[in-house]
């Protein structure tokens, strides 16, 4: 069985899949790094658990701020997949986060140091023209990581050695040059020089620790924290044409906060295709720049869940992926209650509903977590009798 969990982390992202023999995590952060969000992470795994794969969509603070807590809460993190970034972009990120007072900055420049010697770091090349890669490339993860490459192409299928041969993870590093251009414009309006921030240490230090650091903060906040031009999108699900007929989602629930966190669940009455097992985790990608149905066209018929990017922001949303489908989609949106950005947009929520799909609201309310149970059977099963 697989448990696919969207944790109630608030204005951030923290998702996991607990498979029979391994665990994966996609992002782990909250914009405020509250005690409640830290407690959610600490309770998500035990000290005996290993994270076999950690996918980091991008290095915005609300997606990475709780990685240190996660690392300290488990036995090990074996493999980390990151979008490949240019050195100058890392320098800029570090300096902006320094001005904001954020910690754990080693993950930007030195992820090997941050995670330790026993963790393999693997980077994903940006996707060329954000198009589907059907080259058939694949890598296999095992306990011995010595033979894994340090960089792989977008679209490479990632499999787990010894696990079912019909499940894979497919990353795409989606590049959006507009974001770094918008940041440069905001910095220029504030009278700040982006290139000097990157290349001139003395200039950067005067800005970061001087009175003008507030201008840098305002630029960051005006862009709603969207300063990374790369975002790692992940498909997790069956490999087409290899899925056994008795492979289906048994049930899906939200956690009820009136009872113990792990033991009482509220069943969702939504109808959807129980054999649409695939999920696409989107981070903060911009659907206007990234056609999810084109990039994942060979997997699209198996997709039943799509995490809505950037907390349901209208600027990141485009509705075409909801149209002309043979099934409804489950669309989780993670956001903080009373956040200062107005997330999620009511237009986004309405668009999803009007197109016959379903919104799952995931906030910092402990009762808003969402879980899918995916079951496997050796023989054909009457699905209705299982629910």
């Amino acid at each position: 069985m697989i448990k696919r969990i969207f944790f109630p982390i608030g204005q951030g992202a923290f998702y996991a899949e607990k498979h029979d023999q391994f665990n994966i995590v996609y992002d782990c952060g909250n914009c405020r790094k509250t005690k409640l969000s830290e407690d959610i992470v600490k309770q998500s795994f035990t000290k005996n658990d290993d994270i076999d794969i950690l996918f980091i969509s991008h290095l915005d603070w609300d997606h990475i701020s709780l990685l240190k807590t996660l690392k300290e809460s488990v036995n090990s993190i074996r493999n980390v997949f990151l979008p490949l970034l240019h050195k100058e972009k890392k320098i800029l990120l570090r300096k902006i986060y320094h001005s904001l007072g954020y910690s754990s900055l080693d993950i930007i420049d030195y992820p090997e140091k941050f995670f330790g010697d026993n963790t393999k770091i693997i980077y994903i090349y940006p996707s060329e023209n954000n198009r589907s890669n059907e080259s058939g490339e694949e890598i296999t993860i095992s306990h011995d990581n010595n033979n894994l490459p340090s960089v792989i192409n977008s679209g490479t299928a990632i499999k787990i050695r010894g696990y079912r041969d019909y499940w894979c993870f497919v990353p795409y590093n989606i590049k959006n040059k507009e974001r770094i251009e918008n940041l440069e414009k905001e910095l220029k309006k504030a009278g700040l020089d982006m290139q000097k921030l990157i290349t001139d240490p003395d200039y950067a230090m005067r800005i970061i620790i001087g009175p003008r650091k507030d201008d840098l903060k305002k630029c960051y906040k005006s862009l709603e924290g969207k300063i990374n031009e790369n975002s790692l999108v992940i498909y997790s699900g069956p490999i087409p044409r290899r899925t056994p007929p008795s492979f289906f989602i048994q049930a899906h629930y939200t956690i009820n906060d009136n009872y113990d966190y792990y033991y009482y669940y509220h069943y969702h009455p939504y109808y959807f295709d129980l054999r649409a097992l695939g999920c696409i985790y989107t981070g903060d990608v911009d659907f206007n720049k990234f056609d999810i149905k084109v990039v994942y066209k060979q997997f699209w018929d198996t997709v039943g869940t799509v995490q809505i990017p950037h907390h349901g922001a209208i600027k990141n949303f485009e509705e075409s992926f909801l149209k002309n489908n043979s099934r409804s989609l489950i669309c989780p949106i993670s956001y903080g209650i009373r956040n200062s950005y107005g997330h999620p947009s009511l237009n986004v929520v309405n668009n999803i509903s009007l197109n016959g799909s379903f919104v799952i609201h995931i906030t910092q309310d402990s009762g808003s977590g969402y879980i899918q149970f995916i079951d496997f059977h050796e023989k054909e099963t009457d699905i209705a009798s299982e629910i």
Side-chain angles (χ1 to χ4, degrees):
M1 177 178 284
I2 300 170
K3 283 201 296 184
R4 178 180 285 147
I5 309 170
F6 296 82
F7 289 100
I9 205 71
Q11 190 78 7
F14 178 36
Y15 314 129
E17 290 183 7
K18 298 185 178 185
H19 295 243
D20 291 335
Q21 301 172 30
F22 67 96
N23 298 305
I24 76 133
V25 168
Y26 181 83
D27 285 350
C28 188
N30 172 284
C31 65
R32 295 184 178 179
K33 197 181 177 183
T34 61
K35 183 181 184 303
L36 177 60
S37 64
E38 288 186 315
D39 288 344
I40 292 288
V41 174
K42 288 175 182 177
Q43 295 179 64
S44 60
F45 295 93
T46 73
K47 282 298 284 184
N48 295 322
D49 287 327
D50 297 304
I51 306 298
D52 295 272
I53 301 176
L54 168 62
F55 292 109
I56 299 175
S57 67
H58 60 299
L59 297 174
D60 281 354
W61 183 246
D62 57 339
H63 291 252
I64 64 171
S65 63
L66 293 164
L67 287 175
K68 185 172 184 289
T69 303
L70 178 66
K71 183 180 69 168
E72 293 171 350
S73 301
V74 298
N75 180 53
S76 71
I77 298 176
R78 291 175 172 162
N79 302 280
V80 177
F81 288 80
L82 286 156
L84 184 65
L85 299 178
H86 290 298
K87 183 179 179 180
E88 62 181 30
K89 301 300 187 300
K90 292 182 179 182
I91 293 171
L92 183 60
L93 278 175
R94 171 178 271 276
K95 289 174 178 175
I96 291 174
Y97 287 168
H98 188 206
S99 74
L100 294 165
Y102 293 162
S103 58
S104 299
L105 299 183
D106 276 346
I107 193 173
I108 296 174
D109 286 329
Y110 312 108
E112 293 83 0
K113 177 182 176 182
F114 179 88
F115 287 105
D117 294 337
N118 295 323
T119 301
K120 175 71 176 180
I121 307 297
I122 302 171
Y123 295 96
I124 315 293
Y125 278 120
S127 171
E128 289 297 325
N129 302 315
N130 295 343
R131 292 294 182 231
S132 176
N133 175 5
E134 299 184 33
S135 65
E137 295 175 68
E138 63 179 54
I139 63 169
T140 301
I141 301 292
S142 67
H143 290 299
D144 178 9
N145 295 333
N146 295 330
N147 295 325
L148 289 176
S150 296
V151 185
I152 63 172
N153 289 320
S154 289
T156 300
I158 301 166
K159 300 171 68 177
I160 306 294
R161 186 179 303 280
Y163 193 63
R164 297 176 175 90
D165 64 358
Y166 41 74
W167 197 274
C168 69
F169 307 93
V170 183
Y172 274 86
N173 177 2
I174 306 301
K175 193 168 185 177
N176 184 353
K177 293 182 180 179
E178 205 172 272
R179 289 187 177 177
I180 201 70
E181 291 170 357
N182 289 339
L183 174 61
E184 187 168 17
K185 288 177 185 176
E186 290 299 317
L187 291 171
K188 189 173 182 180
K189 281 195 285 185
L192 300 173
D193 188 318
M194 188 173 82
Q195 288 305 313
K196 288 181 73 175
L197 277 171
I198 296 170
T199 60
D200 187 335
D202 293 335
Y203 175 83
M205 191 55 64
R206 287 197 303 273
I207 299 300
I208 290 170
I209 66 174
R212 299 217 61 195
K213 71 177 181 181
D214 287 339
D215 294 329
L216 200 55
K217 291 180 183 179
K218 287 177 184 176
C219 291
Y220 178 82
K221 291 179 180 178
S222 71
L223 296 170
E224 300 182 7
K226 294 191 296 182
I227 59 175
N228 275 283
E229 65 178 359
N230 294 73
S231 192
L232 193 63
V233 179
I234 305 293
Y235 165 83
S236 171
I239 300 171
R241 298 176 297 279
R242 294 193 197 176
T243 309
S246 52
F247 186 59
F248 63 90
I249 291 182
Q250 186 180 48
H252 58 146
Y253 302 84
T254 47
I255 302 164
N256 189 312
D257 60 350
N258 294 321
Y259 293 82
D260 187 271
Y261 185 86
Y262 285 104
Y263 293 97
Y264 185 82
Y265 304 101
H266 172 68
Y267 174 65
H268 265 295
Y270 304 146
Y271 171 77
F272 70 109
D273 186 346
L274 296 176
R275 298 189 198 278
L277 310 173
C279 175
I280 298 179
Y281 302 97
T282 63
D284 280 358
V285 77
D286 187 344
F287 275 172
N288 297 283
K289 310 290 184 184
F290 167 65
D291 191 332
I292 192 172
K293 292 175 78 170
V294 170
V295 172
Y296 285 110
K297 64 181 180 180
Q298 60 180 315
F299 300 96
W300 186 251
D301 287 343
T302 71
V303 173
T305 304
V306 176
Q307 173 246 320
I308 301 303
H310 199 57
H311 321 295
I314 187 66
K315 292 180 180 178
N316 289 62
F317 188 77
E318 201 281 326
E319 66 177 11
S320 61
F321 77 99
L322 297 165
K323 298 182 180 298
N324 302 315
N325 296 318
S326 60
R327 64 203 176 281
S328 300
L329 297 173
I330 296 295
C331 299
I333 305 179
S334 294
Y335 62 94
I337 298 172
R338 294 183 294 277
N339 67 82
S340 60
Y341 305 114
H343 298 155
S345 164
L346 184 59
N347 285 336
V348 171
V349 174
N350 284 344
N351 262 308
I352 294 169
S353 300
L354 290 173
N355 279 287
S357 289
F358 305 103
V359 175
I360 305 292
H361 294 268
I362 300 168
T363 68
Q364 67 267 43
D365 181 344
S366 60
S368 68
Y370 174 59
I371 301 179
Q372 294 175 346
F373 290 91
I374 301 172
D375 210 351
F376 310 89
H377 289 272
E378 295 301 322
K379 297 179 180 179
E380 187 71 42
T381 306
D382 180 0
I383 293 176
S385 69
E386 296 283 342
I387 303 301

